[in-house]
mmCIF file of all heavy atoms in Angstrom:
data_model
loop_
_atom_site.group_PDB
_atom_site.id
_atom_site.type_symbol
_atom_site.label_atom_id
_atom_site.label_comp_id
_atom_site.label_asym_id
_atom_site.label_seq_id
_atom_site.Cartn_x
_atom_site.Cartn_y
_atom_site.Cartn_z
ATOM 1 N N PRO A 41 93.454 137.295 112.867
ATOM 2 C CA PRO A 41 94.916 137.193 112.863
ATOM 3 C C PRO A 41 95.585 138.482 112.334
ATOM 4 O O PRO A 41 95.067 139.125 111.396
ATOM 5 C CB PRO A 41 95.217 136.000 111.954
ATOM 6 C CG PRO A 41 93.936 135.637 111.292
ATOM 7 C CD PRO A 41 92.838 136.383 111.907
ATOM 8 N N GLY A 42 96.647 138.869 112.961
ATOM 9 C CA GLY A 42 97.373 140.056 112.502
ATOM 10 C C GLY A 42 98.148 139.763 111.218
ATOM 11 O O GLY A 42 98.324 140.649 110.380
ATOM 12 N N VAL A 43 98.551 138.545 111.087
ATOM 13 C CA VAL A 43 99.268 138.135 109.866
ATOM 14 C C VAL A 43 98.633 136.802 109.390
ATOM 15 O O VAL A 43 98.286 135.969 110.237
ATOM 16 C CB VAL A 43 100.745 137.873 110.183
ATOM 17 C CG1 VAL A 43 101.504 137.302 108.981
ATOM 18 C CG2 VAL A 43 101.395 139.163 110.634
ATOM 19 N N VAL A 44 98.427 136.636 108.110
ATOM 20 C CA VAL A 44 98.017 135.325 107.634
ATOM 21 C C VAL A 44 99.009 134.871 106.547
ATOM 22 O O VAL A 44 99.641 135.668 105.870
ATOM 23 C CB VAL A 44 96.569 135.286 107.041
ATOM 24 C CG1 VAL A 44 95.562 135.526 108.104
ATOM 25 C CG2 VAL A 44 96.473 136.231 105.893
ATOM 26 N N ALA A 45 99.061 133.542 106.374
ATOM 27 C CA ALA A 45 99.983 132.995 105.398
ATOM 28 C C ALA A 45 99.133 132.362 104.279
ATOM 29 O O ALA A 45 98.157 131.639 104.557
ATOM 30 C CB ALA A 45 100.856 131.910 105.989
ATOM 31 N N VAL A 46 99.490 132.629 103.018
ATOM 32 C CA VAL A 46 98.896 131.906 101.921
ATOM 33 C C VAL A 46 99.986 130.960 101.462
ATOM 34 O O VAL A 46 101.086 131.357 101.064
ATOM 35 C CB VAL A 46 98.499 132.875 100.782
ATOM 36 C CG1 VAL A 46 97.961 132.057 99.628
ATOM 37 C CG2 VAL A 46 97.506 133.897 101.277
ATOM 38 N N ARG A 47 99.672 129.666 101.584
ATOM 39 C CA ARG A 47 100.773 128.675 101.336
ATOM 40 C C ARG A 47 100.416 127.773 100.168
ATOM 41 O O ARG A 47 99.443 126.983 100.239
ATOM 42 C CB ARG A 47 100.952 127.828 102.598
ATOM 43 C CG ARG A 47 101.441 128.667 103.777
ATOM 44 C CD ARG A 47 101.843 127.787 104.929
ATOM 45 N NE ARG A 47 100.820 126.755 105.180
ATOM 46 C CZ ARG A 47 101.074 125.624 105.789
ATOM 47 N NH1 ARG A 47 102.285 125.367 106.238
ATOM 48 N NH2 ARG A 47 100.150 124.757 105.984
ATOM 49 N N PRO A 48 101.196 127.792 99.103
ATOM 50 C CA PRO A 48 100.929 126.934 97.943
ATOM 51 C C PRO A 48 101.094 125.461 98.257
ATOM 52 O O PRO A 48 100.554 124.629 97.575
ATOM 53 C CB PRO A 48 101.966 127.404 96.924
ATOM 54 C CG PRO A 48 103.013 128.054 97.687
ATOM 55 C CD PRO A 48 102.370 128.668 98.905
ATOM 56 N N THR A 49 101.840 125.141 99.351
ATOM 57 C CA THR A 49 102.063 123.767 99.647
ATOM 58 C C THR A 49 100.832 123.015 100.181
ATOM 59 O O THR A 49 100.811 121.811 100.290
ATOM 60 C CB THR A 49 103.179 123.642 100.687
ATOM 61 O OG1 THR A 49 102.948 124.628 101.735
ATOM 62 C CG2 THR A 49 104.562 123.942 100.159
ATOM 63 N N ASP A 50 99.789 123.773 100.508
ATOM 64 C CA ASP A 50 98.538 123.146 100.905
ATOM 65 C C ASP A 50 97.856 122.449 99.746
ATOM 66 O O ASP A 50 96.940 121.685 99.944
ATOM 67 C CB ASP A 50 97.573 124.201 101.509
ATOM 68 C CG ASP A 50 97.999 124.653 102.903
ATOM 69 O OD1 ASP A 50 98.825 123.958 103.501
ATOM 70 O OD2 ASP A 50 97.477 125.681 103.369
ATOM 71 N N PHE A 51 98.226 122.827 98.523
ATOM 72 C CA PHE A 51 97.484 122.366 97.360
ATOM 73 C C PHE A 51 98.360 121.440 96.508
ATOM 74 O O PHE A 51 99.395 121.837 96.016
ATOM 75 C CB PHE A 51 97.037 123.596 96.493
ATOM 76 C CG PHE A 51 96.325 124.611 97.333
ATOM 77 C CD1 PHE A 51 97.056 125.670 97.916
ATOM 78 C CD2 PHE A 51 94.955 124.520 97.531
ATOM 79 C CE1 PHE A 51 96.377 126.582 98.690
ATOM 80 C CE2 PHE A 51 94.302 125.460 98.322
ATOM 81 C CZ PHE A 51 95.010 126.482 98.873
ATOM 82 N N LYS A 52 97.916 120.208 96.397
ATOM 83 C CA LYS A 52 98.684 119.224 95.645
ATOM 84 C C LYS A 52 98.557 119.510 94.144
ATOM 85 O O LYS A 52 97.470 119.752 93.640
ATOM 86 C CB LYS A 52 98.160 117.835 95.919
ATOM 87 C CG LYS A 52 99.122 116.767 95.565
ATOM 88 C CD LYS A 52 98.682 115.410 96.111
ATOM 89 C CE LYS A 52 99.594 114.308 95.671
ATOM 90 N NZ LYS A 52 100.957 114.506 96.200
ATOM 91 N N GLY A 53 99.695 119.495 93.471
ATOM 92 C CA GLY A 53 99.680 119.732 92.031
ATOM 93 C C GLY A 53 99.657 121.197 91.664
ATOM 94 O O GLY A 53 99.462 121.491 90.490
ATOM 95 N N PHE A 54 99.817 122.090 92.622
ATOM 96 C CA PHE A 54 99.780 123.532 92.307
ATOM 97 C C PHE A 54 101.211 124.063 92.284
ATOM 98 O O PHE A 54 101.937 123.898 93.265
ATOM 99 C CB PHE A 54 99.045 124.237 93.427
ATOM 100 C CG PHE A 54 98.803 125.726 93.215
ATOM 101 C CD1 PHE A 54 97.708 126.214 92.523
ATOM 102 C CD2 PHE A 54 99.738 126.630 93.676
ATOM 103 C CE1 PHE A 54 97.518 127.559 92.293
ATOM 104 C CE2 PHE A 54 99.574 128.004 93.436
ATOM 105 C CZ PHE A 54 98.451 128.477 92.769
ATOM 106 N N LEU A 55 101.603 124.584 91.125
ATOM 107 C CA LEU A 55 102.982 125.136 90.970
ATOM 108 C C LEU A 55 102.801 126.649 91.053
ATOM 109 O O LEU A 55 102.309 127.249 90.126
ATOM 110 C CB LEU A 55 103.563 124.728 89.657
ATOM 111 C CG LEU A 55 104.140 123.346 89.547
ATOM 112 C CD1 LEU A 55 104.593 123.077 88.112
ATOM 113 C CD2 LEU A 55 105.316 123.163 90.484
ATOM 114 N N PRO A 56 103.295 127.308 92.090
ATOM 115 C CA PRO A 56 102.980 128.697 92.289
ATOM 116 C C PRO A 56 103.785 129.640 91.382
ATOM 117 O O PRO A 56 104.979 129.475 91.146
ATOM 118 C CB PRO A 56 103.277 128.922 93.767
ATOM 119 C CG PRO A 56 104.338 127.932 94.051
ATOM 120 C CD PRO A 56 104.083 126.721 93.177
ATOM 121 N N ARG A 57 103.098 130.677 90.928
ATOM 122 C CA ARG A 57 103.766 131.813 90.300
ATOM 123 C C ARG A 57 103.280 133.039 91.039
ATOM 124 O O ARG A 57 102.068 133.263 91.164
ATOM 125 C CB ARG A 57 103.388 131.937 88.837
ATOM 126 C CG ARG A 57 104.156 132.973 88.072
ATOM 127 C CD ARG A 57 104.018 132.785 86.553
ATOM 128 N NE ARG A 57 102.604 132.835 86.150
ATOM 129 C CZ ARG A 57 101.906 133.954 85.942
ATOM 130 N NH1 ARG A 57 102.494 135.117 86.057
ATOM 131 N NH2 ARG A 57 100.640 133.902 85.601
ATOM 132 N N LEU A 58 104.233 133.828 91.575
ATOM 133 C CA LEU A 58 103.839 134.957 92.419
ATOM 134 C C LEU A 58 103.164 136.056 91.580
ATOM 135 O O LEU A 58 103.633 136.381 90.498
ATOM 136 C CB LEU A 58 105.088 135.535 93.101
ATOM 137 C CG LEU A 58 105.457 135.034 94.476
ATOM 138 C CD1 LEU A 58 106.647 135.763 94.959
ATOM 139 C CD2 LEU A 58 104.267 135.298 95.430
ATOM 140 N N LEU A 59 102.136 136.642 92.164
ATOM 141 C CA LEU A 59 101.489 137.780 91.473
ATOM 142 C C LEU A 59 101.685 139.063 92.281
ATOM 143 O O LEU A 59 101.241 140.123 91.852
ATOM 144 C CB LEU A 59 99.980 137.514 91.350
ATOM 145 C CG LEU A 59 99.606 136.287 90.522
ATOM 146 C CD1 LEU A 59 98.105 136.099 90.511
ATOM 147 C CD2 LEU A 59 100.130 136.365 89.095
ATOM 148 N N VAL A 60 102.308 139.005 93.431
ATOM 149 C CA VAL A 60 102.492 140.188 94.287
ATOM 150 C C VAL A 60 103.935 140.243 94.694
ATOM 151 O O VAL A 60 104.685 139.277 94.549
ATOM 152 C CB VAL A 60 101.637 140.115 95.565
ATOM 153 C CG1 VAL A 60 100.158 140.243 95.191
ATOM 154 C CG2 VAL A 60 101.885 138.846 96.322
ATOM 155 N N LYS A 61 104.332 141.436 95.175
ATOM 156 C CA LYS A 61 105.687 141.526 95.746
ATOM 157 C C LYS A 61 105.536 142.195 97.114
ATOM 158 O O LYS A 61 104.493 142.735 97.466
ATOM 159 C CB LYS A 61 106.664 142.245 94.875
ATOM 160 C CG LYS A 61 106.180 143.597 94.333
ATOM 161 C CD LYS A 61 107.188 144.074 93.328
ATOM 162 C CE LYS A 61 106.934 145.552 92.940
ATOM 163 N NZ LYS A 61 105.564 145.747 92.309
ATOM 164 N N GLU A 62 106.614 142.150 97.861
ATOM 165 C CA GLU A 62 106.570 142.695 99.228
ATOM 166 C C GLU A 62 106.116 144.130 99.195
ATOM 167 O O GLU A 62 106.581 144.960 98.383
ATOM 168 C CB GLU A 62 107.923 142.573 99.914
ATOM 169 C CG GLU A 62 108.167 141.190 100.507
ATOM 170 C CD GLU A 62 109.478 141.076 101.192
ATOM 171 O OE1 GLU A 62 109.955 142.064 101.773
ATOM 172 O OE2 GLU A 62 110.062 139.980 101.083
ATOM 173 N N GLY A 63 105.182 144.505 100.112
ATOM 174 C CA GLY A 63 104.720 145.885 100.196
ATOM 175 C C GLY A 63 103.459 146.154 99.380
ATOM 176 O O GLY A 63 102.845 147.216 99.546
ATOM 177 N N ASP A 64 103.115 145.214 98.492
ATOM 178 C CA ASP A 64 101.894 145.436 97.711
ATOM 179 C C ASP A 64 100.636 145.438 98.602
ATOM 180 O O ASP A 64 100.538 144.610 99.485
ATOM 181 C CB ASP A 64 101.738 144.310 96.695
ATOM 182 C CG ASP A 64 102.601 144.532 95.444
ATOM 183 O OD1 ASP A 64 103.273 145.563 95.438
ATOM 184 O OD2 ASP A 64 102.592 143.682 94.556
ATOM 185 N N PRO A 65 99.715 146.314 98.331
ATOM 186 C CA PRO A 65 98.474 146.284 99.057
ATOM 187 C C PRO A 65 97.574 145.204 98.447
ATOM 188 O O PRO A 65 97.575 145.005 97.216
ATOM 189 C CB PRO A 65 97.853 147.661 98.861
ATOM 190 C CG PRO A 65 98.428 148.145 97.561
ATOM 191 C CD PRO A 65 99.751 147.491 97.409
ATOM 192 N N VAL A 66 96.868 144.452 99.248
ATOM 193 C CA VAL A 66 95.893 143.443 98.743
ATOM 194 C C VAL A 66 94.588 143.612 99.448
ATOM 195 O O VAL A 66 94.534 144.132 100.580
ATOM 196 C CB VAL A 66 96.402 141.987 98.918
ATOM 197 C CG1 VAL A 66 97.547 141.662 98.001
ATOM 198 C CG2 VAL A 66 96.787 141.734 100.397
ATOM 199 N N LEU A 67 93.508 143.205 98.823
ATOM 200 C CA LEU A 67 92.223 143.151 99.446
ATOM 201 C C LEU A 67 91.884 141.719 99.718
ATOM 202 O O LEU A 67 92.494 140.784 99.187
ATOM 203 C CB LEU A 67 91.172 143.735 98.520
ATOM 204 C CG LEU A 67 91.332 145.195 98.110
ATOM 205 C CD1 LEU A 67 90.191 145.612 97.208
ATOM 206 C CD2 LEU A 67 91.387 146.065 99.366
ATOM 207 N N CYS A 68 90.834 141.500 100.529
ATOM 208 C CA CYS A 68 90.361 140.134 100.788
ATOM 209 C C CYS A 68 89.768 139.612 99.479
ATOM 210 O O CYS A 68 88.792 140.167 98.952
ATOM 211 C CB CYS A 68 89.344 140.174 101.903
ATOM 212 S SG CYS A 68 88.546 138.616 102.166
ATOM 213 N N GLY A 69 90.400 138.610 98.915
ATOM 214 C CA GLY A 69 89.917 138.056 97.654
ATOM 215 C C GLY A 69 90.828 138.428 96.487
ATOM 216 O O GLY A 69 90.623 137.916 95.383
ATOM 217 N N SER A 70 91.863 139.246 96.706
ATOM 218 C CA SER A 70 92.832 139.586 95.631
ATOM 219 C C SER A 70 93.682 138.389 95.382
ATOM 220 O O SER A 70 94.122 137.733 96.312
ATOM 221 C CB SER A 70 93.718 140.761 96.020
ATOM 222 O OG SER A 70 93.002 141.814 96.435
ATOM 223 N N PRO A 71 94.007 138.156 94.114
ATOM 224 C CA PRO A 71 94.909 137.012 93.846
ATOM 225 C C PRO A 71 96.338 137.276 94.322
ATOM 226 O O PRO A 71 96.792 138.420 94.209
ATOM 227 C CB PRO A 71 94.845 136.888 92.311
ATOM 228 C CG PRO A 71 94.372 138.213 91.821
ATOM 229 C CD PRO A 71 93.517 138.779 92.903
ATOM 230 N N VAL A 72 96.928 136.253 94.859
ATOM 231 C CA VAL A 72 98.299 136.341 95.372
ATOM 232 C C VAL A 72 99.256 135.500 94.509
ATOM 233 O O VAL A 72 100.397 135.860 94.273
ATOM 234 C CB VAL A 72 98.358 135.881 96.859
ATOM 235 C CG1 VAL A 72 99.739 135.901 97.367
ATOM 236 C CG2 VAL A 72 97.412 136.762 97.652
ATOM 237 N N MET A 73 98.760 134.332 94.067
ATOM 238 C CA MET A 73 99.553 133.422 93.297
ATOM 239 C C MET A 73 98.694 132.842 92.196
ATOM 240 O O MET A 73 97.441 132.739 92.357
ATOM 241 C CB MET A 73 100.060 132.259 94.126
ATOM 242 C CG MET A 73 101.154 132.542 95.046
ATOM 243 S SD MET A 73 101.346 131.129 96.097
ATOM 244 C CE MET A 73 101.394 131.949 97.647
ATOM 245 N N ALA A 74 99.338 132.383 91.116
ATOM 246 C CA ALA A 74 98.628 131.648 90.080
ATOM 247 C C ALA A 74 99.363 130.377 89.822
ATOM 248 O O ALA A 74 100.525 130.230 90.163
ATOM 249 C CB ALA A 74 98.540 132.479 88.813
ATOM 250 N N ASP A 75 98.635 129.413 89.211
ATOM 251 C CA ASP A 75 99.275 128.152 88.922
ATOM 252 C C ASP A 75 100.048 128.290 87.606
ATOM 253 O O ASP A 75 99.555 128.861 86.618
ATOM 254 C CB ASP A 75 98.179 127.073 88.737
ATOM 255 C CG ASP A 75 98.765 125.697 88.605
ATOM 256 O OD1 ASP A 75 100.019 125.545 88.785
ATOM 257 O OD2 ASP A 75 98.023 124.744 88.365
ATOM 258 N N LYS A 76 101.284 127.804 87.594
ATOM 259 C CA LYS A 76 102.116 127.894 86.382
ATOM 260 C C LYS A 76 101.526 127.110 85.224
ATOM 261 O O LYS A 76 101.719 127.467 84.055
ATOM 262 C CB LYS A 76 103.516 127.400 86.681
ATOM 263 C CG LYS A 76 104.410 128.423 87.296
ATOM 264 C CD LYS A 76 105.808 127.894 87.476
ATOM 265 C CE LYS A 76 106.693 128.935 88.221
ATOM 266 N NZ LYS A 76 107.902 128.340 88.773
ATOM 267 N N LYS A 77 100.833 126.030 85.503
ATOM 268 C CA LYS A 77 100.322 125.171 84.437
ATOM 269 C C LYS A 77 99.018 125.757 83.893
ATOM 270 O O LYS A 77 98.703 125.522 82.718
ATOM 271 C CB LYS A 77 100.095 123.765 84.937
ATOM 272 C CG LYS A 77 101.412 123.002 85.192
ATOM 273 C CD LYS A 77 101.101 121.662 85.897
ATOM 274 C CE LYS A 77 100.531 121.971 87.253
ATOM 275 N NZ LYS A 77 100.108 120.804 87.982
ATOM 276 N N ASN A 78 98.217 126.413 84.744
ATOM 277 C CA ASN A 78 96.997 126.952 84.262
ATOM 278 C C ASN A 78 96.803 128.289 84.992
ATOM 279 O O ASN A 78 96.414 128.337 86.146
ATOM 280 C CB ASN A 78 95.850 126.003 84.637
ATOM 281 C CG ASN A 78 94.531 126.458 84.011
ATOM 282 O OD1 ASN A 78 94.380 127.656 83.791
ATOM 283 N ND2 ASN A 78 93.643 125.517 83.781
ATOM 284 N N ALA A 79 97.109 129.363 84.280
ATOM 285 C CA ALA A 79 97.135 130.701 84.877
ATOM 286 C C ALA A 79 95.809 131.140 85.440
ATOM 287 O O ALA A 79 95.748 132.147 86.176
ATOM 288 C CB ALA A 79 97.717 131.707 83.927
ATOM 289 N N ASP A 80 94.762 130.418 85.109
ATOM 290 C CA ASP A 80 93.412 130.825 85.619
ATOM 291 C C ASP A 80 93.217 130.442 87.086
ATOM 292 O O ASP A 80 92.372 130.985 87.796
ATOM 293 C CB ASP A 80 92.310 130.149 84.814
ATOM 294 C CG ASP A 80 92.258 130.704 83.377
ATOM 295 O OD1 ASP A 80 92.758 131.842 83.186
ATOM 296 O OD2 ASP A 80 91.777 130.001 82.495
ATOM 297 N N ILE A 81 93.975 129.472 87.535
ATOM 298 C CA ILE A 81 93.798 128.976 88.911
ATOM 299 C C ILE A 81 94.571 129.909 89.825
ATOM 300 O O ILE A 81 95.793 130.052 89.737
ATOM 301 C CB ILE A 81 94.241 127.530 89.096
ATOM 302 C CG1 ILE A 81 93.508 126.596 88.147
ATOM 303 C CG2 ILE A 81 94.090 127.085 90.529
ATOM 304 C CD1 ILE A 81 93.961 125.155 88.190
ATOM 305 N N LEU A 82 93.826 130.575 90.700
ATOM 306 C CA LEU A 82 94.440 131.595 91.566
ATOM 307 C C LEU A 82 94.296 131.210 93.050
ATOM 308 O O LEU A 82 93.380 130.509 93.419
ATOM 309 C CB LEU A 82 93.737 132.935 91.363
ATOM 310 C CG LEU A 82 93.684 133.467 89.955
ATOM 311 C CD1 LEU A 82 92.790 134.714 89.881
ATOM 312 C CD2 LEU A 82 95.085 133.809 89.425
ATOM 313 N N LEU A 83 95.263 131.666 93.855
ATOM 314 C CA LEU A 83 95.096 131.626 95.282
ATOM 315 C C LEU A 83 94.890 133.050 95.741
ATOM 316 O O LEU A 83 95.623 133.986 95.308
ATOM 317 C CB LEU A 83 96.306 131.062 96.005
ATOM 318 C CG LEU A 83 96.730 129.595 95.666
ATOM 319 C CD1 LEU A 83 97.880 129.178 96.550
ATOM 320 C CD2 LEU A 83 95.552 128.668 95.809
#
Side-chain angles (χ1 to χ4, degrees):
Chain A
V43 174
V44 293
V46 179
R47 297 189 312 157
T49 44
D50 286 344
F51 308 92
K52 196 170 178 63
F54 184 90
L55 281 176
R57 185 165 60 82
L58 266 181
L59 301 178
V60 292
K61 51 186 189 300
E62 276 180 37
D64 279 359
V66 288
L67 299 180
C68 173
S70 307
V72 176
M73 283 170 231
D75 188 7
K76 275 184 184 161
K77 288 171 296 177
N78 188 333
D80 291 337
I81 301 177
L82 305 172
L83 299 187

